[in-house]
Amino acid sequence: MPEFKAVVRVMIKKSILDPQGRAVETTLKRLGHKNLENLRVGKHIELFMSGEQAEVEKQLAEIATTVLSNPIMEDVSYTLEALEPA
Amino acid sequence: MPEFKAVVRVMIKKSILDPQGRAVETTLKRLGHKNLENLRVGKHIELFMSGEQAEVEKQLAEIATTVLSNPIMEDVSYTLEALEPA
């Protein structure tokens, strides 16, 4: 069965305050890194899936938008990459 | 001054158990998604930096390896992308 590597990226929407990102940015500025702004922290999720490509794509879209992210507060994007058979 | 978008990806090392990833994987399997494995959750950090490219690159490497990740437990990778002047 074909194998795939999926990567899902979840970020808090730009219109919503990201307290973790704000905290990291403040810390970096206190350490002397004044030339940075708009730091945001999101999730990077990797998983391996097996199955037929069309089905796996559909399944990944469903997982990414309903389980791995909250569509009210977060933006989600994902990529699927076919792995070479070993 | 040139502007850059930096993306830093932090993942727990493969040799170390990732409890959050394990929990998400178990949940997805319970929901019927049996064809997945090795799910891992890491951090995706975006920030905007300004300055001369060589200097910003050096600064990003330092921030990524010393502040944004713990080199004992985590792997870190980063990319820097120059933004078009507005």
Side-chain angles (χ1 to χ4, degrees):
Chain A
M1 205 143 46
E3 296 278 338
F4 300 90
K5 178 180 177 182
V7 172
V8 179
R9 203 197 56 172
V10 181
M11 300 293 287
I12 295 183
K13 286 191 185 194
K14 290 218 184 341
S15 55
I16 300 178
L17 180 69
D18 169 12
Q20 190 184 0
R22 185 62 67 89
V24 174
E25 184 176 323
T26 306
T27 302
L28 285 169
K29 284 188 169 153
R30 204 179 307 125
L31 290 171
H33 300 287
K34 307 287 189 199
N35 60 330
L36 49 88
E37 58 179 3
N38 245 317
L39 187 149
R40 296 182 81 81
V41 179
K43 274 178 281 188
H44 175 100
I45 302 167
E46 292 183 1
L47 65 158
F48 293 85
M49 305 175 75
S50 59
E52 292 312 318
Q53 177 147 4
E55 222 159 295
V56 169
E57 274 173 9
K58 208 175 129 196
Q59 188 186 6
L60 176 61
E62 192 202 320
I63 290 174
T65 52
T66 62
V67 183
L68 299 179
S69 70
N70 166 355
I72 310 286
M73 293 188 56
E74 296 170 327
D75 286 325
V76 64
S77 63
Y78 47 86
T79 56
L80 191 68
E81 175 199 341
L83 300 177
E84 297 296 319
Chain B
M1 206 144 42
E3 295 278 338
F4 300 89
K5 178 179 177 182
V7 172
V8 179
R9 202 198 55 171
V10 181
M11 300 293 285
I12 294 184
K13 286 191 184 194
K14 290 219 186 336
S15 54
I16 300 177
L17 180 70
D18 169 12
Q20 191 183 359
R22 186 63 66 89
V24 173
E25 185 176 323
T26 305
T27 302
L28 285 170
K29 285 188 168 153
R30 203 179 308 126
L31 290 171
H33 300 288
K34 308 285 187 198
N35 60 332
L36 48 87
E37 58 180 4
N38 243 320
L39 187 150
R40 297 182 80 82
V41 179
K43 274 178 281 186
H44 176 101
I45 302 166
E46 292 183 1
L47 65 159
F48 293 85
M49 305 174 74
S50 59
E52 292 312 320
Q53 177 146 4
E55 221 159 297
V56 169
E57 275 173 10
K58 206 175 131 195
Q59 186 186 8
L60 176 61
E62 191 201 320
I63 290 174
T65 53
T66 62
V67 183
L68 299 179
S69 70
N70 166 356
I72 310 286
M73 295 189 52
E74 295 170 326
D75 287 324
V76 64
S77 63
Y78 47 85
T79 56
L80 191 68
E81 175 199 342
L83 300 176
E84 298 294 319

